[in-house]
PDB file of all heavy atoms in Angstrom:
ATOM      1  N   GLN A 216     -14.411   5.745  -6.517  1.00  0.00           N
ATOM      2  CA  GLN A 216     -15.344   6.315  -5.615  1.00  0.00           C
ATOM      3  C   GLN A 216     -14.864   7.513  -4.870  1.00  0.00           C
ATOM      4  O   GLN A 216     -15.654   8.516  -4.591  1.00  0.00           O
ATOM      5  CB  GLN A 216     -15.887   5.251  -4.639  1.00  0.00           C
ATOM      6  CG  GLN A 216     -16.721   4.161  -5.174  1.00  0.00           C
ATOM      7  CD  GLN A 216     -15.937   3.080  -5.790  1.00  0.00           C
ATOM      8  OE1 GLN A 216     -14.839   3.182  -6.276  1.00  0.00           O
ATOM      9  NE2 GLN A 216     -16.616   1.874  -5.880  1.00  0.00           N
ATOM     10  N   ILE A 217     -13.624   7.519  -4.498  1.00  0.00           N
ATOM     11  CA  ILE A 217     -13.103   8.760  -3.790  1.00  0.00           C
ATOM     12  C   ILE A 217     -12.968   9.956  -4.844  1.00  0.00           C
ATOM     13  O   ILE A 217     -13.428  11.048  -4.348  1.00  0.00           O
ATOM     14  CB  ILE A 217     -11.613   8.441  -3.404  1.00  0.00           C
ATOM     15  CG1 ILE A 217     -11.554   7.334  -2.381  1.00  0.00           C
ATOM     16  CG2 ILE A 217     -10.960   9.725  -2.941  1.00  0.00           C
ATOM     17  CD1 ILE A 217     -10.227   6.868  -1.958  1.00  0.00           C
ATOM     18  N   ASN A 218     -12.654   9.716  -6.092  1.00  0.00           N
ATOM     19  CA  ASN A 218     -12.669  10.797  -7.024  1.00  0.00           C
ATOM     20  C   ASN A 218     -14.219  11.289  -7.276  1.00  0.00           C
ATOM     21  O   ASN A 218     -14.448  12.484  -7.325  1.00  0.00           O
ATOM     22  CB  ASN A 218     -12.089  10.255  -8.443  1.00  0.00           C
ATOM     23  CG  ASN A 218     -10.667  10.622  -8.532  1.00  0.00           C
ATOM     24  OD1 ASN A 218     -10.174  11.686  -8.009  1.00  0.00           O
ATOM     25  ND2 ASN A 218      -9.870   9.901  -9.316  1.00  0.00           N
ATOM     26  N   ASP A 219     -15.010  10.284  -7.503  1.00  0.00           N
ATOM     27  CA  ASP A 219     -16.393  10.682  -7.769  1.00  0.00           C
ATOM     28  C   ASP A 219     -17.127  11.405  -6.708  1.00  0.00           C
ATOM     29  O   ASP A 219     -17.861  12.372  -6.816  1.00  0.00           O
ATOM     30  CB  ASP A 219     -17.303   9.374  -8.173  1.00  0.00           C
ATOM     31  CG  ASP A 219     -16.795   8.778  -9.599  1.00  0.00           C
ATOM     32  OD1 ASP A 219     -16.011   9.541 -10.224  1.00  0.00           O
ATOM     33  OD2 ASP A 219     -17.102   7.682  -9.755  1.00  0.00           O
ATOM     34  N   HIS A 220     -16.834  10.994  -5.407  1.00  0.00           N
ATOM     35  CA  HIS A 220     -17.593  11.435  -4.217  1.00  0.00           C
ATOM     36  C   HIS A 220     -16.935  12.730  -3.716  1.00  0.00           C
ATOM     37  O   HIS A 220     -17.654  13.690  -3.304  1.00  0.00           O
ATOM     38  CB  HIS A 220     -17.672  10.444  -3.136  1.00  0.00           C
ATOM     39  CG  HIS A 220     -18.615  10.802  -1.992  1.00  0.00           C
ATOM     40  ND1 HIS A 220     -18.285  11.548  -0.915  1.00  0.00           N
ATOM     41  CD2 HIS A 220     -19.994  10.576  -1.829  1.00  0.00           C
ATOM     42  CE1 HIS A 220     -19.303  11.648  -0.117  1.00  0.00           C
ATOM     43  NE2 HIS A 220     -20.330  11.056  -0.696  1.00  0.00           N
ATOM     44  N   TYR A 221     -15.558  12.817  -3.678  1.00  0.00           N
ATOM     45  CA  TYR A 221     -14.881  13.954  -3.032  1.00  0.00           C
ATOM     46  C   TYR A 221     -14.232  14.879  -4.055  1.00  0.00           C
ATOM     47  O   TYR A 221     -13.777  15.930  -3.671  1.00  0.00           O
ATOM     48  CB  TYR A 221     -13.847  13.333  -1.979  1.00  0.00           C
ATOM     49  CG  TYR A 221     -14.372  12.581  -0.851  1.00  0.00           C
ATOM     50  CD1 TYR A 221     -14.541  11.251  -0.908  1.00  0.00           C
ATOM     51  CD2 TYR A 221     -14.923  13.226   0.193  1.00  0.00           C
ATOM     52  CE1 TYR A 221     -15.134  10.578   0.080  1.00  0.00           C
ATOM     53  CE2 TYR A 221     -15.534  12.591   1.217  1.00  0.00           C
ATOM     54  CZ  TYR A 221     -15.596  11.110   1.148  1.00  0.00           C
ATOM     55  OH  TYR A 221     -16.156  10.475   2.230  1.00  0.00           O
ATOM     56  N   GLY A 222     -14.155  14.480  -5.259  1.00  0.00           N
ATOM     57  CA  GLY A 222     -13.617  15.358  -6.278  1.00  0.00           C
ATOM     58  C   GLY A 222     -12.173  14.952  -6.569  1.00  0.00           C
ATOM     59  O   GLY A 222     -11.505  14.198  -5.873  1.00  0.00           O
ATOM     60  N   HIS A 223     -11.647  15.346  -7.751  1.00  0.00           N
ATOM     61  CA  HIS A 223     -10.316  15.063  -8.215  1.00  0.00           C
ATOM     62  C   HIS A 223      -9.230  15.701  -7.430  1.00  0.00           C
ATOM     63  O   HIS A 223      -8.074  15.057  -7.260  1.00  0.00           O
ATOM     64  CB  HIS A 223     -10.131  15.404  -9.694  1.00  0.00           C
ATOM     65  CG  HIS A 223     -10.991  14.573 -10.657  1.00  0.00           C
ATOM     66  ND1 HIS A 223     -10.591  13.292 -10.984  1.00  0.00           N
ATOM     67  CD2 HIS A 223     -12.121  14.795 -11.208  1.00  0.00           C
ATOM     68  CE1 HIS A 223     -11.517  12.732 -11.762  1.00  0.00           C
ATOM     69  NE2 HIS A 223     -12.431  13.562 -11.959  1.00  0.00           N
ATOM     70  N   ILE A 224      -9.433  16.877  -6.797  1.00  0.00           N
ATOM     71  CA  ILE A 224      -8.490  17.250  -5.888  1.00  0.00           C
ATOM     72  C   ILE A 224      -8.169  16.483  -4.778  1.00  0.00           C
ATOM     73  O   ILE A 224      -6.976  16.238  -4.326  1.00  0.00           O
ATOM     74  CB  ILE A 224      -8.887  18.854  -5.403  1.00  0.00           C
ATOM     75  CG1 ILE A 224      -8.889  19.757  -6.596  1.00  0.00           C
ATOM     76  CG2 ILE A 224      -7.883  19.391  -4.384  1.00  0.00           C
ATOM     77  CD1 ILE A 224      -9.364  21.207  -6.353  1.00  0.00           C
ATOM     78  N   GLU A 225      -9.223  15.961  -4.137  1.00  0.00           N
ATOM     79  CA  GLU A 225      -9.147  15.022  -2.921  1.00  0.00           C
ATOM     80  C   GLU A 225      -8.478  13.776  -3.493  1.00  0.00           C
ATOM     81  O   GLU A 225      -7.726  13.070  -2.810  1.00  0.00           O
ATOM     82  CB  GLU A 225     -10.482  14.795  -2.274  1.00  0.00           C
ATOM     83  CG  GLU A 225     -10.312  14.026  -0.902  1.00  0.00           C
ATOM     84  CD  GLU A 225      -9.445  14.665   0.055  1.00  0.00           C
ATOM     85  OE1 GLU A 225      -9.367  15.915   0.248  1.00  0.00           O
ATOM     86  OE2 GLU A 225      -8.595  13.921   0.669  1.00  0.00           O
ATOM     87  N   GLY A 226      -8.922  13.493  -4.717  1.00  0.00           N
ATOM     88  CA  GLY A 226      -8.189  12.124  -5.341  1.00  0.00           C
ATOM     89  C   GLY A 226      -6.703  12.231  -5.388  1.00  0.00           C
ATOM     90  O   GLY A 226      -6.058  11.378  -5.065  1.00  0.00           O
ATOM     91  N   ASP A 227      -6.264  13.548  -5.801  1.00  0.00           N
ATOM     92  CA  ASP A 227      -4.833  13.705  -5.926  1.00  0.00           C
ATOM     93  C   ASP A 227      -4.257  13.708  -4.518  1.00  0.00           C
ATOM     94  O   ASP A 227      -3.089  13.154  -4.391  1.00  0.00           O
ATOM     95  CB  ASP A 227      -4.604  15.095  -6.545  1.00  0.00           C
ATOM     96  CG  ASP A 227      -4.828  15.211  -7.960  1.00  0.00           C
ATOM     97  OD1 ASP A 227      -5.000  14.038  -8.594  1.00  0.00           O
ATOM     98  OD2 ASP A 227      -4.880  16.332  -8.609  1.00  0.00           O
ATOM     99  N   HIS A 228      -4.988  14.135  -3.527  1.00  0.00           N
ATOM    100  CA  HIS A 228      -4.539  14.152  -2.201  1.00  0.00           C
ATOM    101  C   HIS A 228      -4.309  12.716  -1.646  1.00  0.00           C
ATOM    102  O   HIS A 228      -3.361  12.358  -0.989  1.00  0.00           O
ATOM    103  CB  HIS A 228      -5.416  14.955  -1.256  1.00  0.00           C
ATOM    104  CG  HIS A 228      -4.992  15.064   0.130  1.00  0.00           C
ATOM    105  ND1 HIS A 228      -5.680  14.735   1.277  1.00  0.00           N
ATOM    106  CD2 HIS A 228      -3.731  15.284   0.704  1.00  0.00           C
ATOM    107  CE1 HIS A 228      -4.982  14.952   2.391  1.00  0.00           C
ATOM    108  NE2 HIS A 228      -3.824  15.270   2.024  1.00  0.00           N
ATOM    109  N   ALA A 229      -5.293  11.827  -1.966  1.00  0.00           N
ATOM    110  CA  ALA A 229      -5.239  10.430  -1.716  1.00  0.00           C
ATOM    111  C   ALA A 229      -3.958   9.793  -2.317  1.00  0.00           C
ATOM    112  O   ALA A 229      -3.298   8.957  -1.588  1.00  0.00           O
ATOM    113  CB  ALA A 229      -6.501   9.799  -2.220  1.00  0.00           C
ATOM    114  N   LEU A 230      -3.682  10.154  -3.524  1.00  0.00           N
ATOM    115  CA  LEU A 230      -2.476   9.634  -4.167  1.00  0.00           C
ATOM    116  C   LEU A 230      -1.138  10.030  -3.505  1.00  0.00           C
ATOM    117  O   LEU A 230      -0.295   9.248  -3.295  1.00  0.00           O
ATOM    118  CB  LEU A 230      -2.457  10.090  -5.650  1.00  0.00           C
ATOM    119  CG  LEU A 230      -3.507   9.409  -6.684  1.00  0.00           C
ATOM    120  CD1 LEU A 230      -3.435  10.231  -7.960  1.00  0.00           C
ATOM    121  CD2 LEU A 230      -3.014   7.911  -6.832  1.00  0.00           C
ATOM    122  N   GLN A 231      -1.146  11.316  -3.037  1.00  0.00           N
ATOM    123  CA  GLN A 231      -0.010  11.861  -2.382  1.00  0.00           C
ATOM    124  C   GLN A 231       0.190  11.215  -0.946  1.00  0.00           C
ATOM    125  O   GLN A 231       1.271  10.935  -0.497  1.00  0.00           O
ATOM    126  CB  GLN A 231      -0.145  13.331  -2.233  1.00  0.00           C
ATOM    127  CG  GLN A 231       0.072  14.116  -3.531  1.00  0.00           C
ATOM    128  CD  GLN A 231      -0.394  15.575  -3.421  1.00  0.00           C
ATOM    129  OE1 GLN A 231      -1.150  15.980  -2.682  1.00  0.00           O
ATOM    130  NE2 GLN A 231       0.260  16.337  -4.257  1.00  0.00           N
ATOM    131  N   CYS A 232      -0.958  11.020  -0.334  1.00  0.00           N
ATOM    132  CA  CYS A 232      -0.831  10.339   1.012  1.00  0.00           C
ATOM    133  C   CYS A 232      -0.402   8.896   0.844  1.00  0.00           C
ATOM    134  O   CYS A 232       0.459   8.430   1.703  1.00  0.00           O
ATOM    135  CB  CYS A 232      -2.268  10.300   1.745  1.00  0.00           C
ATOM    136  SG  CYS A 232      -2.843  11.946   2.151  1.00  0.00           S
ATOM    137  N   THR A 233      -0.847   8.131  -0.152  1.00  0.00           N
ATOM    138  CA  THR A 233      -0.419   6.857  -0.364  1.00  0.00           C
ATOM    139  C   THR A 233       1.057   6.809  -0.760  1.00  0.00           C
ATOM    140  O   THR A 233       1.781   5.923  -0.201  1.00  0.00           O
ATOM    141  CB  THR A 233      -1.248   6.242  -1.579  1.00  0.00           C
ATOM    142  OG1 THR A 233      -2.679   6.361  -1.259  1.00  0.00           O
ATOM    143  CG2 THR A 233      -0.840   4.690  -1.745  1.00  0.00           C
ATOM    144  N   ALA A 234       1.549   7.726  -1.577  1.00  0.00           N
ATOM    145  CA  ALA A 234       2.863   7.778  -1.900  1.00  0.00           C
ATOM    146  C   ALA A 234       3.745   8.027  -0.705  1.00  0.00           C
ATOM    147  O   ALA A 234       4.786   7.322  -0.527  1.00  0.00           O
ATOM    148  CB  ALA A 234       3.088   8.974  -2.979  1.00  0.00           C
ATOM    149  N   HIS A 235       3.351   8.943   0.172  1.00  0.00           N
ATOM    150  CA  HIS A 235       4.102   9.222   1.397  1.00  0.00           C
ATOM    151  C   HIS A 235       4.176   8.042   2.299  1.00  0.00           C
ATOM    152  O   HIS A 235       5.278   7.760   2.785  1.00  0.00           O
ATOM    153  CB  HIS A 235       3.331  10.393   2.092  1.00  0.00           C
ATOM    154  CG  HIS A 235       4.056  10.736   3.439  1.00  0.00           C
ATOM    155  ND1 HIS A 235       5.251  11.451   3.471  1.00  0.00           N
ATOM    156  CD2 HIS A 235       3.686  10.546   4.708  1.00  0.00           C
ATOM    157  CE1 HIS A 235       5.570  11.564   4.694  1.00  0.00           C
ATOM    158  NE2 HIS A 235       4.714  11.074   5.553  1.00  0.00           N
ATOM    159  N   ALA A 236       3.084   7.322   2.486  1.00  0.00           N
ATOM    160  CA  ALA A 236       3.074   6.128   3.283  1.00  0.00           C
ATOM    161  C   ALA A 236       3.944   5.012   2.690  1.00  0.00           C
ATOM    162  O   ALA A 236       4.776   4.332   3.433  1.00  0.00           O
ATOM    163  CB  ALA A 236       1.703   5.694   3.470  1.00  0.00           C
ATOM    164  N   LEU A 237       3.892   4.801   1.466  1.00  0.00           N
ATOM    165  CA  LEU A 237       4.669   3.787   0.725  1.00  0.00           C
ATOM    166  C   LEU A 237       6.223   4.105   0.833  1.00  0.00           C
ATOM    167  O   LEU A 237       7.061   3.282   1.017  1.00  0.00           O
ATOM    168  CB  LEU A 237       4.257   3.595  -0.659  1.00  0.00           C
ATOM    169  CG  LEU A 237       2.882   2.998  -0.968  1.00  0.00           C
ATOM    170  CD1 LEU A 237       2.576   2.971  -2.383  1.00  0.00           C
ATOM    171  CD2 LEU A 237       2.762   1.544  -0.322  1.00  0.00           C
ATOM    172  N   LYS A 238       6.438   5.468   0.694  1.00  0.00           N
ATOM    173  CA  LYS A 238       7.853   5.866   0.696  1.00  0.00           C
ATOM    174  C   LYS A 238       8.468   5.602   2.110  1.00  0.00           C
ATOM    175  O   LYS A 238       9.678   5.243   2.230  1.00  0.00           O
ATOM    176  CB  LYS A 238       7.890   7.365   0.438  1.00  0.00           C
ATOM    177  CG  LYS A 238       9.279   7.890   0.123  1.00  0.00           C
ATOM    178  CD  LYS A 238       9.338   9.470  -0.111  1.00  0.00           C
ATOM    179  CE  LYS A 238       8.493   9.913  -1.283  1.00  0.00           C
ATOM    180  NZ  LYS A 238       8.648  11.264  -1.564  1.00  0.00           N
ATOM    181  N   ASN A 239       7.739   5.802   3.184  1.00  0.00           N
ATOM    182  CA  ASN A 239       8.205   5.592   4.529  1.00  0.00           C
ATOM    183  C   ASN A 239       8.660   4.128   4.643  1.00  0.00           C
ATOM    184  O   ASN A 239       9.749   3.867   5.235  1.00  0.00           O
ATOM    185  CB  ASN A 239       7.194   5.906   5.577  1.00  0.00           C
ATOM    186  CG  ASN A 239       6.974   7.425   5.759  1.00  0.00           C
ATOM    187  OD1 ASN A 239       7.852   8.206   5.385  1.00  0.00           O
ATOM    188  ND2 ASN A 239       5.849   7.848   6.293  1.00  0.00           N
ATOM    189  N   ILE A 240       7.949   3.173   4.185  1.00  0.00           N
ATOM    190  CA  ILE A 240       8.219   1.731   4.233  1.00  0.00           C
ATOM    191  C   ILE A 240       9.380   1.401   3.274  1.00  0.00           C
ATOM    192  O   ILE A 240      10.421   0.728   3.653  1.00  0.00           O
ATOM    193  CB  ILE A 240       7.051   0.869   3.983  1.00  0.00           C
ATOM    194  CG1 ILE A 240       5.909   1.182   5.038  1.00  0.00           C
ATOM    195  CG2 ILE A 240       7.449  -0.571   3.978  1.00  0.00           C
ATOM    196  CD1 ILE A 240       6.317   0.829   6.458  1.00  0.00           C
ATOM    197  N   ALA A 241       9.304   1.869   2.111  1.00  0.00           N
ATOM    198  CA  ALA A 241      10.327   1.549   1.055  1.00  0.00           C
ATOM    199  C   ALA A 241      11.727   2.105   1.437  1.00  0.00           C
ATOM    200  O   ALA A 241      12.710   1.349   1.288  1.00  0.00           O
ATOM    201  CB  ALA A 241       9.990   2.255  -0.344  1.00  0.00           C
ATOM    202  N   SER A 242      11.836   3.305   2.099  1.00  0.00           N
ATOM    203  CA  SER A 242      13.065   3.858   2.533  1.00  0.00           C
ATOM    204  C   SER A 242      13.715   2.969   3.670  1.00  0.00           C
ATOM    205  O   SER A 242      14.977   2.960   3.701  1.00  0.00           O
ATOM    206  CB  SER A 242      12.857   5.215   2.967  1.00  0.00           C
ATOM    207  OG  SER A 242      12.065   5.289   4.115  1.00  0.00           O
ATOM    208  N   GLN A 243      12.951   2.317   4.412  1.00  0.00           N
ATOM    209  CA  GLN A 243      13.377   1.432   5.532  1.00  0.00           C
ATOM    210  C   GLN A 243      14.135   0.180   4.883  1.00  0.00           C
ATOM    211  O   GLN A 243      15.091  -0.309   5.504  1.00  0.00           O
ATOM    212  CB  GLN A 243      12.359   1.005   6.442  1.00  0.00           C
ATOM    213  CG  GLN A 243      11.716   2.042   7.226  1.00  0.00           C
ATOM    214  CD  GLN A 243      10.457   1.600   8.020  1.00  0.00           C
ATOM    215  OE1 GLN A 243      10.412   0.415   8.397  1.00  0.00           O
ATOM    216  NE2 GLN A 243       9.574   2.519   8.349  1.00  0.00           N
ATOM    217  N   TYR A 244      13.690  -0.280   3.746  1.00  0.00           N
ATOM    218  CA  TYR A 244      14.214  -1.480   3.121  1.00  0.00           C
ATOM    219  C   TYR A 244      15.141  -1.182   1.938  1.00  0.00           C
ATOM    220  O   TYR A 244      15.666  -2.103   1.204  1.00  0.00           O
ATOM    221  CB  TYR A 244      13.175  -2.354   2.769  1.00  0.00           C
ATOM    222  CG  TYR A 244      12.442  -2.996   3.859  1.00  0.00           C
ATOM    223  CD1 TYR A 244      11.304  -2.301   4.466  1.00  0.00           C
ATOM    224  CD2 TYR A 244      12.744  -4.223   4.428  1.00  0.00           C
ATOM    225  CE1 TYR A 244      10.656  -2.833   5.557  1.00  0.00           C
ATOM    226  CE2 TYR A 244      12.099  -4.812   5.397  1.00  0.00           C
ATOM    227  CZ  TYR A 244      10.990  -4.079   6.047  1.00  0.00           C
ATOM    228  OH  TYR A 244      10.344  -4.641   7.069  1.00  0.00           O
TER     229      TYR A 244
END
């Protein structure tokens, strides 16, 4: 739905934001 409604560029941004958030937690452990 993010891709369809906001476009694939924003979809890529969502992936990057998710990766950044996961990386913050993963690095702690």
Side-chain angles (χ1 to χ4, degrees):
Q216 285 87 331
I217 295 173
N218 264 335
D219 291 345
H220 191 271
Y221 297 97
H223 288 282
I224 293 176
E225 188 57 42
D227 287 348
H228 184 226
L230 288 168
Q231 290 170 328
C232 292
T233 303
H235 177 72
L237 293 174
K238 194 186 294 185
N239 285 340
I240 300 298
S242 62
Q243 294 174 26
Y244 291 86

